[in-house]
Amino acid sequence: MTQRNTLAMQDNTILYFCNLSYNGYQDSFLDTIDTTQPGSKFMMNLAKRFRPTRFVTRNGEWSLPWNQDLIPKYAMPKYDPSFKLSFAEVTDLEAIKIKNRISQGEQFAVTYSGGIDSTVIVAALIKNLSLKELESVYVYASVNSIIEHPVFWEQFIFNKFKVIDSNRYKMHDLIDMGLTPIIADEGDAIFGTMIGISLYNNYDVLSEGLSAGVKENLKQIRNKISSNEVHYSRYKDLIIKHLSLPNNTEFGRLLYEKYDHNIKTASVPVHSLHDFFWWLIFNVKYLNCSVRAALYFNDRIDFKQAVYKIENWYNAENYQLWSMVNNNNGSKIGSTVISYKTIARDYIYELDKNDWYRKYKLKLESLNFIVGRQNVSNIEINKRPTARIALTNQYDMLYVDNLQVQTFLKNKIENYSIDWTQ
Amino acid sequence: MTPFIDRVYQQRFGIYSVGFDRFVLVDNKDVWVMLETAEILSSKISTVVYIIPNDSSDLTSANCTEFSLLDKRSQKTATTPLLFSALTPSLRTLLDNSLIRTDNTVPDEVTEYTKFVYLHCFALNFTEAIAKYDENAKFSKKYLDNDWISTLTINDTRDSLDGGLYFQIRKILYLSNSIIEAEEKINSLWFNHSGEQRWVRDLYFKIINKEQPESFKDIKNDPTKYTGYAG
């Protein structure tokens, strides 16, 4: 992997992201950061509340301690309220693009977890490619992929696709094999985040302890999480409590207000509670998902090359445009958790006619099940994924053990001011 | 449920030693853990696990070594006169009034080792079921076609042990000659191979109700070992 041997951190160094994370390896550095100032305290609390924290805005204001830029590949398309393509049409179009690239000699490896997002991709390819063309598609999966959706594996993947073990081979291996990885990491961004799902699952518990008036209001709007009738601000107390750290609702309030400020300064409508959490991942947390494969599941390929080599299926412009105009119409979620990604379930059902999966499939944290146990002990400890703390806009990876990096980040974080609320 | 199932779970279960002609363990908690205990003990003694009718009201776990089978003719193997016993223990039912109280012929080392194994079998089963997050070895073997998984990595416990931690603990119990030997080996296993799965170790020791050795404070955890730790 090419990287400049001497990396000089300047005060005006621009980052594509910084990933402060209490992951067991960064902890000792993070604990040296002075949190007496509200800004630095906020950033450290963010690192405690979320893991990882590659939070970067694509639209609207979201200040950070350092100079921030956005990887061009992940820029948000301009909101187009007249966008009319259906999810199925968008999906089929993406599959046709792959078909065309296969005709040019390219081969692909689809990261398949058995979850809804990656099953859509495989279903789309099966639907739109010929048997001959499908020979150019590998399925990159683990035993957990089979466990998550064994019926689909048996009917559509086993003995029909060549399979590559995702626990054994990493992204750089796929690229070295001459394959273009296709990942589904932005699937949640298109539909809305697990942070929202976990609030819906704990709605009643979170409502406890709130004032009687607030509780009654929340009870009335419980089934309107994805409704144009109810603005997310009516759930404010619930959201704050959900975003808070234990015994620290002040952090929850600050974070809510930061998101609220971002929404108010963005050019995309965000209205309901589900919109709020959708926007969280579609905007600020988007990069968190997008860069994982290229920068954390890859140890050999130049980082910039990896970013642009890997095919982020749901990063396609059409998907993002679809996502922006399909809020609160039942496509993303109904009134229950089990209805999450309704439209994607319907797409899969067209192929497999599996009622159980369509009606009852639960959202799981699938990614960790398919790549979480990739062993990186062959890499120098201070270059392992847990040590990768930031990326500059020159695609230089910054490692937490580097003293210059530590000084840079410490200085930035400790001088960060809260600029979005009173 | 069904009459058979309802009846079974109203009764007790016991490990019967063919050689001593006595029960070595009786309890009503879990027939499957008891069966597994008998399997582990099979390296030392031949046993059968019985579902014991409730008419044996004076039979307790404390006095079970004084109880024998009244009429062993119903327990013989096929056409031979031998008492039923097999290479690997099986589960059988007893009729009412099948037991007789007599003297204790079971050495203490047998009953003590039996209870030790029984306790650890509970710990293994509970820990496996509660603490696992991304372990799929047992599940895969149970439900997935071998052809599906033959080229894929099976994830067992987070160590580099052949067969994984739980298998190795079972093996120790199976092959050790004494409680002291088994405990030393099990503790050594935890010390050397539980760095990335502290939660598993903590749960296991909680279940067996023992303090972890002081030396365990020196166990190193490598938070960088897997990609998944980076998120």
Side-chain angles (χ1 to χ4, degrees), chain A residues 25 54 143-144 146 165 167 170 297 368 372-374 376 384-386, chain B residues 134 136 140 147-148 153 155-157 222-228 230-231:
Chain A
Y25 191 72
R54 297 181 286 262
V143 168
N144 287 328
I146 306 174
D165 184 357
N167 262 319
K170 300 189 73 176
F297 305 149
N368 210 34
R373 294 276 286 266
Q374 290 173 345
V376 294
R384 292 180 188 173
T386 39
Chain B
D134 59 351
N136 56 35
S140 311
D147 284 344
W148 296 2
T153 305
N155 282 340
D156 215 306
T157 44
D222 181 0
T224 68
K225 188 175 169 187
Y226 296 114
T227 291

PDB file of all heavy atoms in Angstrom, chain A residues 25 54 143-144 146 165 167 170 297 368 372-374 376 384-386, chain B residues 134 136 140 147-148 153 155-157 222-228 230-231:
ATOM      1  N   TYR A  25      -8.516  -0.052  21.857  1.00  0.00           N
ATOM      2  CA  TYR A  25      -7.141   0.294  21.476  1.00  0.00           C
ATOM      3  C   TYR A  25      -6.915   1.793  21.530  1.00  0.00           C
ATOM      4  O   TYR A  25      -5.841   2.248  21.910  1.00  0.00           O
ATOM      5  CB  TYR A  25      -6.829  -0.233  20.066  1.00  0.00           C
ATOM      6  CG  TYR A  25      -5.367  -0.136  19.735  1.00  0.00           C
ATOM      7  CD1 TYR A  25      -4.430  -0.984  20.340  1.00  0.00           C
ATOM      8  CD2 TYR A  25      -4.885   0.818  18.837  1.00  0.00           C
ATOM      9  CE1 TYR A  25      -3.084  -0.889  20.056  1.00  0.00           C
ATOM     10  CE2 TYR A  25      -3.534   0.915  18.545  1.00  0.00           C
ATOM     11  CZ  TYR A  25      -2.642   0.055  19.157  1.00  0.00           C
ATOM     12  OH  TYR A  25      -1.302   0.150  18.872  1.00  0.00           O
ATOM     13  N   ARG A  54     -17.539   8.016  12.520  1.00  0.00           N
ATOM     14  CA  ARG A  54     -17.110   8.689  11.280  1.00  0.00           C
ATOM     15  C   ARG A  54     -18.273   9.567  10.801  1.00  0.00           C
ATOM     16  O   ARG A  54     -18.936   9.245   9.822  1.00  0.00           O
ATOM     17  CB  ARG A  54     -16.738   7.631  10.226  1.00  0.00           C
ATOM     18  CG  ARG A  54     -15.560   6.765  10.645  1.00  0.00           C
ATOM     19  CD  ARG A  54     -15.195   5.746   9.582  1.00  0.00           C
ATOM     20  NE  ARG A  54     -16.133   4.641   9.506  1.00  0.00           N
ATOM     21  CZ  ARG A  54     -15.956   3.448  10.077  1.00  0.00           C
ATOM     22  NH1 ARG A  54     -14.875   3.220  10.794  1.00  0.00           N
ATOM     23  NH2 ARG A  54     -16.852   2.488   9.941  1.00  0.00           N
ATOM     24  N   VAL A 143     -20.523 -18.477   6.869  1.00  0.00           N
ATOM     25  CA  VAL A 143     -21.524 -19.412   7.389  1.00  0.00           C
ATOM     26  C   VAL A 143     -22.706 -18.629   7.959  1.00  0.00           C
ATOM     27  O   VAL A 143     -23.870 -19.034   7.834  1.00  0.00           O
ATOM     28  CB  VAL A 143     -20.903 -20.321   8.462  1.00  0.00           C
ATOM     29  CG1 VAL A 143     -21.969 -21.091   9.218  1.00  0.00           C
ATOM     30  CG2 VAL A 143     -19.927 -21.297   7.822  1.00  0.00           C
ATOM     31  N   ASN A 144     -22.426 -17.487   8.553  1.00  0.00           N
ATOM     32  CA  ASN A 144     -23.511 -16.670   9.116  1.00  0.00           C
ATOM     33  C   ASN A 144     -24.465 -16.164   8.040  1.00  0.00           C
ATOM     34  O   ASN A 144     -25.651 -15.952   8.301  1.00  0.00           O
ATOM     35  CB  ASN A 144     -22.933 -15.498   9.908  1.00  0.00           C
ATOM     36  CG  ASN A 144     -22.332 -15.944  11.224  1.00  0.00           C
ATOM     37  OD1 ASN A 144     -22.794 -16.899  11.844  1.00  0.00           O
ATOM     38  ND2 ASN A 144     -21.280 -15.267  11.670  1.00  0.00           N
ATOM     39  N   ILE A 146     -25.405 -17.885   5.551  1.00  0.00           N
ATOM     40  CA  ILE A 146     -26.322 -19.005   5.322  1.00  0.00           C
ATOM     41  C   ILE A 146     -27.346 -19.055   6.447  1.00  0.00           C
ATOM     42  O   ILE A 146     -28.545 -19.220   6.218  1.00  0.00           O
ATOM     43  CB  ILE A 146     -25.572 -20.348   5.254  1.00  0.00           C
ATOM     44  CG1 ILE A 146     -24.462 -20.297   4.210  1.00  0.00           C
ATOM     45  CG2 ILE A 146     -26.543 -21.476   4.946  1.00  0.00           C
ATOM     46  CD1 ILE A 146     -23.585 -21.537   4.177  1.00  0.00           C
ATOM     47  N   ASP A 165     -15.122 -17.236   0.908  1.00  0.00           N
ATOM     48  CA  ASP A 165     -15.286 -17.147   2.360  1.00  0.00           C
ATOM     49  C   ASP A 165     -14.909 -15.752   2.877  1.00  0.00           C
ATOM     50  O   ASP A 165     -13.742 -15.341   2.813  1.00  0.00           O
ATOM     51  CB  ASP A 165     -14.378 -18.209   3.003  1.00  0.00           C
ATOM     52  CG  ASP A 165     -14.537 -18.286   4.511  1.00  0.00           C
ATOM     53  OD1 ASP A 165     -15.298 -17.502   5.094  1.00  0.00           O
ATOM     54  OD2 ASP A 165     -13.870 -19.149   5.113  1.00  0.00           O
ATOM     55  N   ASN A 167     -14.795 -14.742   5.891  1.00  0.00           N
ATOM     56  CA  ASN A 167     -14.019 -14.740   7.128  1.00  0.00           C
ATOM     57  C   ASN A 167     -12.541 -14.907   6.833  1.00  0.00           C
ATOM     58  O   ASN A 167     -11.688 -14.511   7.616  1.00  0.00           O
ATOM     59  CB  ASN A 167     -14.470 -15.888   8.040  1.00  0.00           C
ATOM     60  CG  ASN A 167     -15.441 -15.396   9.098  1.00  0.00           C
ATOM     61  OD1 ASN A 167     -15.256 -14.326   9.663  1.00  0.00           O
ATOM     62  ND2 ASN A 167     -16.470 -16.159   9.345  1.00  0.00           N
ATOM     63  N   LYS A 170     -10.193 -10.986   2.608  1.00  0.00           N
ATOM     64  CA  LYS A 170     -10.609  -9.610   2.856  1.00  0.00           C
ATOM     65  C   LYS A 170     -10.797  -8.884   1.522  1.00  0.00           C
ATOM     66  O   LYS A 170     -10.609  -9.450   0.451  1.00  0.00           O
ATOM     67  CB  LYS A 170      -9.567  -8.913   3.734  1.00  0.00           C
ATOM     68  CG  LYS A 170      -9.393  -9.604   5.085  1.00  0.00           C
ATOM     69  CD  LYS A 170      -8.538  -8.813   6.033  1.00  0.00           C
ATOM     70  CE  LYS A 170      -9.292  -7.595   6.548  1.00  0.00           C
ATOM     71  NZ  LYS A 170      -8.542  -6.837   7.557  1.00  0.00           N
ATOM     72  N   PHE A 297     -11.679  -3.021   6.039  1.00  0.00           N
ATOM     73  CA  PHE A 297     -11.625  -4.438   5.692  1.00  0.00           C
ATOM     74  C   PHE A 297     -10.600  -4.678   4.587  1.00  0.00           C
ATOM     75  O   PHE A 297     -10.610  -5.703   3.924  1.00  0.00           O
ATOM     76  CB  PHE A 297     -13.006  -4.935   5.253  1.00  0.00           C
ATOM     77  CG  PHE A 297     -14.090  -4.683   6.281  1.00  0.00           C
ATOM     78  CD1 PHE A 297     -15.392  -4.451   5.887  1.00  0.00           C
ATOM     79  CD2 PHE A 297     -13.800  -4.656   7.636  1.00  0.00           C
ATOM     80  CE1 PHE A 297     -16.392  -4.205   6.833  1.00  0.00           C
ATOM     81  CE2 PHE A 297     -14.793  -4.410   8.589  1.00  0.00           C
ATOM     82  CZ  PHE A 297     -16.093  -4.179   8.168  1.00  0.00           C
ATOM     83  N   ASN A 368     -21.129  -7.435  10.900  1.00  0.00           N
ATOM     84  CA  ASN A 368     -20.160  -7.998  11.828  1.00  0.00           C
ATOM     85  C   ASN A 368     -20.171  -9.515  11.793  1.00  0.00           C
ATOM     86  O   ASN A 368     -19.165 -10.162  12.071  1.00  0.00           O
ATOM     87  CB  ASN A 368     -20.461  -7.510  13.245  1.00  0.00           C
ATOM     88  CG  ASN A 368     -19.196  -7.421  14.075  1.00  0.00           C
ATOM     89  OD1 ASN A 368     -18.136  -7.101  13.559  1.00  0.00           O
ATOM     90  ND2 ASN A 368     -19.296  -7.723  15.344  1.00  0.00           N
ATOM     91  N   GLY A 372     -16.664  -9.779  10.780  1.00  0.00           N
ATOM     92  CA  GLY A 372     -16.182  -9.379  12.093  1.00  0.00           C
ATOM     93  C   GLY A 372     -15.037 -10.216  12.629  1.00  0.00           C
ATOM     94  O   GLY A 372     -14.259  -9.759  13.454  1.00  0.00           O
ATOM     95  N   ARG A 373     -14.931 -11.484  12.175  1.00  0.00           N
ATOM     96  CA  ARG A 373     -13.878 -12.342  12.709  1.00  0.00           C
ATOM     97  C   ARG A 373     -12.698 -12.488  11.756  1.00  0.00           C
ATOM     98  O   ARG A 373     -11.915 -13.419  11.875  1.00  0.00           O
ATOM     99  CB  ARG A 373     -14.468 -13.729  13.018  1.00  0.00           C
ATOM    100  CG  ARG A 373     -15.489 -13.724  14.135  1.00  0.00           C
ATOM    101  CD  ARG A 373     -14.856 -13.791  15.485  1.00  0.00           C
ATOM    102  NE  ARG A 373     -14.349 -15.101  15.792  1.00  0.00           N
ATOM    103  CZ  ARG A 373     -15.002 -16.048  16.458  1.00  0.00           C
ATOM    104  NH1 ARG A 373     -16.227 -15.822  16.877  1.00  0.00           N
ATOM    105  NH2 ARG A 373     -14.451 -17.214  16.707  1.00  0.00           N
ATOM    106  N   GLN A 374     -12.558 -11.563  10.813  1.00  0.00           N
ATOM    107  CA  GLN A 374     -11.357 -11.592   9.974  1.00  0.00           C
ATOM    108  C   GLN A 374     -10.162 -11.298  10.880  1.00  0.00           C
ATOM    109  O   GLN A 374     -10.111 -10.273  11.545  1.00  0.00           O
ATOM    110  CB  GLN A 374     -11.450 -10.522   8.878  1.00  0.00           C
ATOM    111  CG  GLN A 374     -12.474 -10.819   7.820  1.00  0.00           C
ATOM    112  CD  GLN A 374     -12.641  -9.656   6.854  1.00  0.00           C
ATOM    113  OE1 GLN A 374     -12.206  -8.537   7.122  1.00  0.00           O
ATOM    114  NE2 GLN A 374     -13.268  -9.894   5.726  1.00  0.00           N
ATOM    115  N   VAL A 376      -6.687 -10.117  11.921  1.00  0.00           N
ATOM    116  CA  VAL A 376      -5.699  -9.161  11.416  1.00  0.00           C
ATOM    117  C   VAL A 376      -4.411  -9.223  12.224  1.00  0.00           C
ATOM    118  O   VAL A 376      -3.612  -8.290  12.204  1.00  0.00           O
ATOM    119  CB  VAL A 376      -6.269  -7.722  11.417  1.00  0.00           C
ATOM    120  CG1 VAL A 376      -7.401  -7.610  10.424  1.00  0.00           C
ATOM    121  CG2 VAL A 376      -6.716  -7.305  12.798  1.00  0.00           C
ATOM    122  N   ARG A 384      -3.331  -1.796  12.551  1.00  0.00           N
ATOM    123  CA  ARG A 384      -4.552  -2.594  12.417  1.00  0.00           C
ATOM    124  C   ARG A 384      -5.777  -1.686  12.324  1.00  0.00           C
ATOM    125  O   ARG A 384      -5.713  -0.507  12.667  1.00  0.00           O
ATOM    126  CB  ARG A 384      -4.679  -3.553  13.597  1.00  0.00           C
ATOM    127  CG  ARG A 384      -3.604  -4.630  13.578  1.00  0.00           C
ATOM    128  CD  ARG A 384      -3.734  -5.579  14.744  1.00  0.00           C
ATOM    129  NE  ARG A 384      -2.591  -6.475  14.799  1.00  0.00           N
ATOM    130  CZ  ARG A 384      -2.366  -7.326  15.789  1.00  0.00           C
ATOM    131  NH1 ARG A 384      -3.221  -7.415  16.797  1.00  0.00           N
ATOM    132  NH2 ARG A 384      -1.300  -8.096  15.778  1.00  0.00           N
ATOM    133  N   PRO A 385      -6.911  -2.254  11.911  1.00  0.00           N
ATOM    134  CA  PRO A 385      -8.117  -1.432  11.779  1.00  0.00           C
ATOM    135  C   PRO A 385      -8.471  -0.627  13.027  1.00  0.00           C
ATOM    136  O   PRO A 385      -8.915   0.507  12.922  1.00  0.00           O
ATOM    137  CB  PRO A 385      -9.201  -2.469  11.449  1.00  0.00           C
ATOM    138  CG  PRO A 385      -8.470  -3.541  10.719  1.00  0.00           C
ATOM    139  CD  PRO A 385      -7.122  -3.608  11.372  1.00  0.00           C
ATOM    140  N   THR A 386      -8.272  -1.196  14.193  1.00  0.00           N
ATOM    141  CA  THR A 386      -8.629  -0.470  15.417  1.00  0.00           C
ATOM    142  C   THR A 386      -7.736   0.738  15.645  1.00  0.00           C
ATOM    143  O   THR A 386      -8.083   1.634  16.410  1.00  0.00           O
ATOM    144  CB  THR A 386      -8.530  -1.385  16.653  1.00  0.00           C
ATOM    145  OG1 THR A 386      -7.387  -2.226  16.525  1.00  0.00           O
ATOM    146  CG2 THR A 386      -9.763  -2.236  16.802  1.00  0.00           C
TER     147      THR A 386
ATOM    148  N   ASP B 134     -21.157 -14.509  18.105  1.00  0.00           N
ATOM    149  CA  ASP B 134     -20.947 -14.813  16.694  1.00  0.00           C
ATOM    150  C   ASP B 134     -20.407 -16.224  16.494  1.00  0.00           C
ATOM    151  O   ASP B 134     -19.778 -16.521  15.502  1.00  0.00           O
ATOM    152  CB  ASP B 134     -19.991 -13.791  16.078  1.00  0.00           C
ATOM    153  CG  ASP B 134     -18.644 -13.769  16.788  1.00  0.00           C
ATOM    154  OD1 ASP B 134     -18.501 -14.417  17.848  1.00  0.00           O
ATOM    155  OD2 ASP B 134     -17.721 -13.102  16.293  1.00  0.00           O
ATOM    156  N   ASN B 136     -20.862 -19.940  15.529  1.00  0.00           N
ATOM    157  CA  ASN B 136     -21.855 -20.665  14.738  1.00  0.00           C
ATOM    158  C   ASN B 136     -21.526 -22.133  14.552  1.00  0.00           C
ATOM    159  O   ASN B 136     -22.187 -22.819  13.777  1.00  0.00           O
ATOM    160  CB  ASN B 136     -22.029 -19.982  13.373  1.00  0.00           C
ATOM    161  CG  ASN B 136     -20.716 -19.851  12.631  1.00  0.00           C
ATOM    162  OD1 ASN B 136     -19.858 -20.724  12.722  1.00  0.00           O
ATOM    163  ND2 ASN B 136     -20.562 -18.777  11.871  1.00  0.00           N
ATOM    164  N   SER B 140     -24.238 -24.659  13.031  1.00  0.00           N
ATOM    165  CA  SER B 140     -23.982 -25.110  11.661  1.00  0.00           C
ATOM    166  C   SER B 140     -24.048 -26.624  11.558  1.00  0.00           C
ATOM    167  O   SER B 140     -24.650 -27.170  10.631  1.00  0.00           O
ATOM    168  CB  SER B 140     -22.587 -24.688  11.206  1.00  0.00           C
ATOM    169  OG  SER B 140     -22.364 -23.353  11.464  1.00  0.00           O
ATOM    170  N   ASP B 147     -22.315 -29.826   2.761  1.00  0.00           N
ATOM    171  CA  ASP B 147     -21.845 -29.310   1.456  1.00  0.00           C
ATOM    172  C   ASP B 147     -21.898 -27.783   1.411  1.00  0.00           C
ATOM    173  O   ASP B 147     -21.103 -27.154   0.726  1.00  0.00           O
ATOM    174  CB  ASP B 147     -22.735 -29.836   0.324  1.00  0.00           C
ATOM    175  CG  ASP B 147     -22.414 -31.291   0.010  1.00  0.00           C
ATOM    176  OD1 ASP B 147     -21.340 -31.748   0.436  1.00  0.00           O
ATOM    177  OD2 ASP B 147     -23.238 -31.942  -0.656  1.00  0.00           O
ATOM    178  N   TRP B 148     -22.845 -27.211   2.117  1.00  0.00           N
ATOM    179  CA  TRP B 148     -22.975 -25.753   2.100  1.00  0.00           C
ATOM    180  C   TRP B 148     -21.775 -25.082   2.775  1.00  0.00           C
ATOM    181  O   TRP B 148     -21.391 -23.981   2.410  1.00  0.00           O
ATOM    182  CB  TRP B 148     -24.234 -25.307   2.848  1.00  0.00           C
ATOM    183  CG  TRP B 148     -25.533 -25.728   2.274  1.00  0.00           C
ATOM    184  CD1 TRP B 148     -25.746 -26.501   1.169  1.00  0.00           C
ATOM    185  CD2 TRP B 148     -26.807 -25.407   2.797  1.00  0.00           C
ATOM    186  NE1 TRP B 148     -27.084 -26.679   0.986  1.00  0.00           N
ATOM    187  CE2 TRP B 148     -27.773 -26.014   1.956  1.00  0.00           C
ATOM    188  CE3 TRP B 148     -27.255 -24.662   3.886  1.00  0.00           C
ATOM    189  CZ2 TRP B 148     -29.140 -25.896   2.192  1.00  0.00           C
ATOM    190  CZ3 TRP B 148     -28.616 -24.547   4.110  1.00  0.00           C
ATOM    191  CH2 TRP B 148     -29.546 -25.165   3.259  1.00  0.00           C
ATOM    192  N   THR B 153     -15.363 -20.851   6.714  1.00  0.00           N
ATOM    193  CA  THR B 153     -14.820 -20.895   8.070  1.00  0.00           C
ATOM    194  C   THR B 153     -15.959 -21.002   9.077  1.00  0.00           C
ATOM    195  O   THR B 153     -16.924 -20.258   9.012  1.00  0.00           O
ATOM    196  CB  THR B 153     -14.046 -19.591   8.364  1.00  0.00           C
ATOM    197  OG1 THR B 153     -13.066 -19.389   7.368  1.00  0.00           O
ATOM    198  CG2 THR B 153     -13.381 -19.654   9.736  1.00  0.00           C
ATOM    199  N   ASN B 155     -17.080 -20.410  12.779  1.00  0.00           N
ATOM    200  CA  ASN B 155     -16.640 -19.593  13.915  1.00  0.00           C
ATOM    201  C   ASN B 155     -17.004 -20.263  15.221  1.00  0.00           C
ATOM    202  O   ASN B 155     -18.181 -20.398  15.551  1.00  0.00           O
ATOM    203  CB  ASN B 155     -17.308 -18.213  13.868  1.00  0.00           C
ATOM    204  CG  ASN B 155     -16.654 -17.314  12.858  1.00  0.00           C
ATOM    205  OD1 ASN B 155     -15.524 -17.535  12.449  1.00  0.00           O
ATOM    206  ND2 ASN B 155     -17.368 -16.285  12.451  1.00  0.00           N
ATOM    207  N   ASP B 156     -15.988 -20.671  15.930  1.00  0.00           N
ATOM    208  CA  ASP B 156     -16.247 -21.219  17.258  1.00  0.00           C
ATOM    209  C   ASP B 156     -15.907 -20.128  18.266  1.00  0.00           C
ATOM    210  O   ASP B 156     -15.981 -18.945  17.948  1.00  0.00           O
ATOM    211  CB  ASP B 156     -15.395 -22.472  17.468  1.00  0.00           C
ATOM    212  CG  ASP B 156     -16.150 -23.485  18.304  1.00  0.00           C
ATOM    213  OD1 ASP B 156     -16.595 -23.106  19.402  1.00  0.00           O
ATOM    214  OD2 ASP B 156     -16.291 -24.625  17.858  1.00  0.00           O
ATOM    215  N   THR B 157     -15.533 -20.513  19.445  1.00  0.00           N
ATOM    216  CA  THR B 157     -15.162 -19.512  20.445  1.00  0.00           C
ATOM    217  C   THR B 157     -13.917 -18.750  19.986  1.00  0.00           C
ATOM    218  O   THR B 157     -13.180 -19.194  19.118  1.00  0.00           O
ATOM    219  CB  THR B 157     -14.886 -20.200  21.785  1.00  0.00           C
ATOM    220  OG1 THR B 157     -14.095 -21.371  21.547  1.00  0.00           O
ATOM    221  CG2 THR B 157     -16.177 -20.628  22.435  1.00  0.00           C
ATOM    222  N   ASP B 222      -6.504  -8.768  23.562  1.00  0.00           N
ATOM    223  CA  ASP B 222      -6.037  -8.062  22.375  1.00  0.00           C
ATOM    224  C   ASP B 222      -7.238  -7.441  21.666  1.00  0.00           C
ATOM    225  O   ASP B 222      -7.975  -8.125  20.964  1.00  0.00           O
ATOM    226  CB  ASP B 222      -5.317  -9.035  21.431  1.00  0.00           C
ATOM    227  CG  ASP B 222      -4.782  -8.334  20.189  1.00  0.00           C
ATOM    228  OD1 ASP B 222      -4.971  -7.100  20.069  1.00  0.00           O
ATOM    229  OD2 ASP B 222      -4.179  -9.012  19.348  1.00  0.00           O
ATOM    230  N   PRO B 223      -7.466  -6.155  21.841  1.00  0.00           N
ATOM    231  CA  PRO B 223      -8.643  -5.529  21.237  1.00  0.00           C
ATOM    232  C   PRO B 223      -8.473  -5.231  19.761  1.00  0.00           C
ATOM    233  O   PRO B 223      -9.339  -4.640  19.138  1.00  0.00           O
ATOM    234  CB  PRO B 223      -8.782  -4.225  22.036  1.00  0.00           C
ATOM    235  CG  PRO B 223      -7.390  -3.882  22.402  1.00  0.00           C
ATOM    236  CD  PRO B 223      -6.648  -5.179  22.592  1.00  0.00           C
ATOM    237  N   THR B 224      -7.321  -5.644  19.209  1.00  0.00           N
ATOM    238  CA  THR B 224      -7.082  -5.300  17.802  1.00  0.00           C
ATOM    239  C   THR B 224      -7.151  -6.507  16.890  1.00  0.00           C
ATOM    240  O   THR B 224      -7.026  -6.383  15.680  1.00  0.00           O
ATOM    241  CB  THR B 224      -5.681  -4.682  17.646  1.00  0.00           C
ATOM    242  OG1 THR B 224      -4.698  -5.696  17.891  1.00  0.00           O
ATOM    243  CG2 THR B 224      -5.460  -3.537  18.599  1.00  0.00           C
ATOM    244  N   LYS B 225      -7.357  -7.666  17.463  1.00  0.00           N
ATOM    245  CA  LYS B 225      -7.132  -8.916  16.733  1.00  0.00           C
ATOM    246  C   LYS B 225      -8.045  -9.124  15.526  1.00  0.00           C
ATOM    247  O   LYS B 225      -7.662  -9.751  14.552  1.00  0.00           O
ATOM    248  CB  LYS B 225      -7.315 -10.084  17.704  1.00  0.00           C
ATOM    249  CG  LYS B 225      -6.932 -11.431  17.147  1.00  0.00           C
ATOM    250  CD  LYS B 225      -7.040 -12.492  18.223  1.00  0.00           C
ATOM    251  CE  LYS B 225      -6.929 -13.885  17.616  1.00  0.00           C
ATOM    252  NZ  LYS B 225      -7.183 -14.923  18.600  1.00  0.00           N
ATOM    253  N   TYR B 226      -9.278  -8.644  15.627  1.00  0.00           N
ATOM    254  CA  TYR B 226     -10.221  -8.880  14.538  1.00  0.00           C
ATOM    255  C   TYR B 226     -10.652  -7.588  13.886  1.00  0.00           C
ATOM    256  O   TYR B 226     -10.750  -6.551  14.510  1.00  0.00           O
ATOM    257  CB  TYR B 226     -11.475  -9.595  15.057  1.00  0.00           C
ATOM    258  CG  TYR B 226     -11.223 -10.984  15.598  1.00  0.00           C
ATOM    259  CD1 TYR B 226     -11.395 -11.268  16.948  1.00  0.00           C
ATOM    260  CD2 TYR B 226     -10.822 -12.021  14.761  1.00  0.00           C
ATOM    261  CE1 TYR B 226     -11.182 -12.539  17.445  1.00  0.00           C
ATOM    262  CE2 TYR B 226     -10.595 -13.297  15.254  1.00  0.00           C
ATOM    263  CZ  TYR B 226     -10.782 -13.549  16.597  1.00  0.00           C
ATOM    264  OH  TYR B 226     -10.568 -14.810  17.095  1.00  0.00           O
ATOM    265  N   THR B 227     -10.951  -7.714  12.600  1.00  0.00           N
ATOM    266  CA  THR B 227     -11.455  -6.561  11.864  1.00  0.00           C
ATOM    267  C   THR B 227     -12.676  -5.969  12.534  1.00  0.00           C
ATOM    268  O   THR B 227     -12.824  -4.762  12.627  1.00  0.00           O
ATOM    269  CB  THR B 227     -11.856  -7.003  10.442  1.00  0.00           C
ATOM    270  OG1 THR B 227     -10.702  -7.334   9.714  1.00  0.00           O
ATOM    271  CG2 THR B 227     -12.590  -5.902   9.712  1.00  0.00           C
ATOM    272  N   GLY B 228     -13.552  -6.840  13.009  1.00  0.00           N
ATOM    273  CA  GLY B 228     -14.843  -6.393  13.528  1.00  0.00           C
ATOM    274  C   GLY B 228     -14.734  -5.440  14.707  1.00  0.00           C
ATOM    275  O   GLY B 228     -15.635  -4.674  14.987  1.00  0.00           O
ATOM    276  N   ALA B 230     -13.005  -2.917  14.809  1.00  0.00           N
ATOM    277  CA  ALA B 230     -12.861  -1.546  14.327  1.00  0.00           C
ATOM    278  C   ALA B 230     -14.197  -0.935  13.931  1.00  0.00           C
ATOM    279  O   ALA B 230     -14.324   0.260  13.829  1.00  0.00           O
ATOM    280  CB  ALA B 230     -11.921  -1.504  13.127  1.00  0.00           C
ATOM    281  N   GLY B 231     -15.160  -1.793  13.655  1.00  0.00           N
ATOM    282  CA  GLY B 231     -16.492  -1.285  13.355  1.00  0.00           C
ATOM    283  C   GLY B 231     -16.681  -0.813  11.936  1.00  0.00           C
ATOM    284  O   GLY B 231     -15.768  -0.395  11.285  1.00  0.00           O
TER     285      GLY B 231
END
